Amino acid sequence: MSDEAGRQRPRIRKAVIPAAGLGTRFLPATKSMPKEMLPIIDKPVLQFVVEEAVASGIEDILIITGRGKRAIENHFDFHPQLEAMLRATGREELIDQVRDVGDRCRIFYIRQRRQLGLGDAVALGREHVGDEPFALLLGDTIIDPQTGSPPGLRQLMDAYEQQPATVVAVHAVPDDWVSRYGIIEPARESTPMQNLSRVARLVEKPEPGEAPSNLAIAGRYILAPQIFECLDRIHVSVGGELQLTDAINLLASEQAVYALAWNAKRYDIGNRIEYAKCFIDHALRRPDTADAVRAHIQQALASSGDSPA
Ligand code: G1P
């Protein structure tokens, strides 16, 4: 692929998915199960993330795991005994579902040995990614695009094709949520796309009065390979961790970084209420569950004295 001036523009082929967090907000469920394996009805959160990457055109995925995360590797692997049992009992159609995306891309794993944060996790991808821009998808975030829109990561990749540089997805959050996220300060500079802005600076989890905007980093990124040099130069900061946001901030002082404000719905599965909302929204949408779940919610609200909006 090349731009108007004929320069080669590297294609985004590889993705990194950090999935090494301890998931303490989901104890006791996460005592022996990775939070990324929490199901939305019958599909683990991480499978949604891998499917989004594959549907966006990613061919190669590096998942950053850690202690207690072996269930992730097993999930994307073949399971001959289970497949034999499904075949023997005439349920072949389930075989495709259990093999799923593991067949459609190459998945690699590396373990994060210390709990030093997202910056440390991403740095582990350096050798695998090499010298090309790559996608980063947080393993505990589900993105639901608006009906008819491309998958979340694809929207970022499309923006990258317009403006080949680091681009992070952002969404507007209420003022009292800014200290949960990385927040960007948009620069006043026009770009080829209406919802794309150049980033002047980024700050991780600012105090409410100190946030430069209410545009929060939404868990999807296209990163230039120079991010790895920036990760070498950052120090432990917010929460006693190495923050990816600090490294992107350094990068933004040296090369263009953009933010894409998208319309997709984002569920932060690290948060119990968001997880519950995601589960309910999906249950209300899936043809095999929608009617029964809707009827149940209406009945439950009526019997508790509330009525659905
Ligand atoms: C991380 C990032 C933050 C981003 C958030 C999105 O925070 O550090 O910049 O806004 O993911 O979910 P964490 O959720 O790991 O605290």
Side-chain angles (χ1 to χ4, degrees):
M1 191 185 312
S2 56
D3 61 17
E4 280 161 23
R7 286 182 298 254
Q8 281 302 308
R9 184 176 298 176
R11 200 160 65 84
I12 309 293
R13 300 181 305 123
K14 295 183 179 176
V16 173
I17 303 182
L22 288 178
T24 47
R25 277 175 284 183
F26 276 91
L27 283 169
T30 48
K31 186 178 174 197
S32 63
M33 180 182 73
K35 72 172 165 180
E36 296 79 10
M37 292 300 291
L38 286 167
I40 302 298
I41 309 183
D42 52 10
K43 193 193 284 189
V45 170
L46 189 58
Q47 190 173 330
F48 283 89
V49 179
V50 170
E51 284 179 357
E52 178 191 335
V54 171
S56 301
I58 293 294
E59 299 156 3
D60 173 304
I61 295 177
L62 176 69
I63 301 182
I64 317 281
T65 66
R67 183 170 294 279
K69 302 275 183 169
R70 292 308 282 266
I72 292 177
E73 292 168 39
N74 290 336
H75 181 72
F76 292 106
D77 199 359
F78 289 128
H79 193 330
Q81 266 173 309
L82 178 63
E83 290 188 16
M85 187 273 283
L86 291 172
R87 208 164 277 122
T89 52
R91 287 177 290 170
E92 268 97 350
E93 76 285 354
L94 282 175
I95 295 178
D96 281 348
Q97 288 182 33
V98 298
R99 282 197 174 183
D100 59 67
V101 289
D103 272 354
R104 288 189 275 137
C105 61
R106 294 191 307 155
I107 303 184
F108 301 83
Y109 300 91
I110 188 168
R111 277 171 76 127
Q112 185 181 20
R113 294 168 66 198
R114 22 177 224 182
Q115 285 292 323
L116 255 186
L118 185 57
D120 181 60
V122 175
L124 292 172
R126 185 179 209 148
E127 278 158 28
H128 186 89
V129 165
D131 192 25
E132 53 183 288
F134 63 100
L136 178 73
L137 302 93
L138 301 193
D140 62 358
T141 295
I142 290 181
I143 303 293
D144 277 348
Q146 287 195 329
T147 315
S149 298
L153 180 64
R154 186 66 243 171
Q155 296 181 31
L156 273 191
M157 288 160 78
D158 290 345
Y160 171 85
E161 276 164 24
Q162 295 278 323
Q163 200 75 340
T166 291
V167 44
V168 301
V170 295
H171 65 142
V173 295
D175 290 346
D176 54 346
W177 280 29
V178 289
S179 39
R180 297 185 191 179
Y181 296 110
I183 303 291
I184 65 137
E185 177 179 329
R188 292 167 194 236
E189 189 179 299
S190 63
T191 71
M193 290 167 69
Q194 200 211 343
N195 52 352
L196 191 72
S197 38
R198 184 149 179 188
V199 174
R201 101 189 142 98
L202 308 91
V203 41
E204 182 68 14
K205 302 191 174 70
E207 294 299 321
E210 286 162 19
S213 75
N214 66 344
L215 293 173
I217 301 173
R220 299 291 184 267
Y221 314 69
I222 303 286
L223 295 168
Q226 292 78 20
I227 192 68
F228 294 114
E229 289 141 42
C230 296
L231 284 165
D232 282 345
R233 286 153 52 204
I234 58 166
H235 304 284
V236 163
S237 67
V238 182
E241 297 185 337
L242 289 167
Q243 295 294 347
L244 174 66
T245 304
D246 292 345
I248 304 177
N249 194 42
L250 267 183
L251 192 68
S253 67
E254 292 164 5
Q255 56 175 257
V257 169
Y258 294 91
L260 179 76
W262 62 14
N263 266 329
K265 208 172 205 174
R266 161 184 193 280
Y267 299 99
D268 177 1
I269 305 294
N271 174 301
R272 284 176 296 221
I273 293 171
E274 294 266 306
Y275 174 62
K277 285 184 185 170
C278 185
F279 201 106
I280 293 168
D281 288 354
H282 280 247
L284 287 172
R285 217 166 55 202
R286 272 175 57 153
D288 59 337
T289 53
D291 291 347
V293 172
R294 179 169 294 104
H296 172 75
I297 290 175
Q298 280 165 343
Q299 198 182 28
L301 291 175
S303 62
S304 71
D306 285 328
S307 54

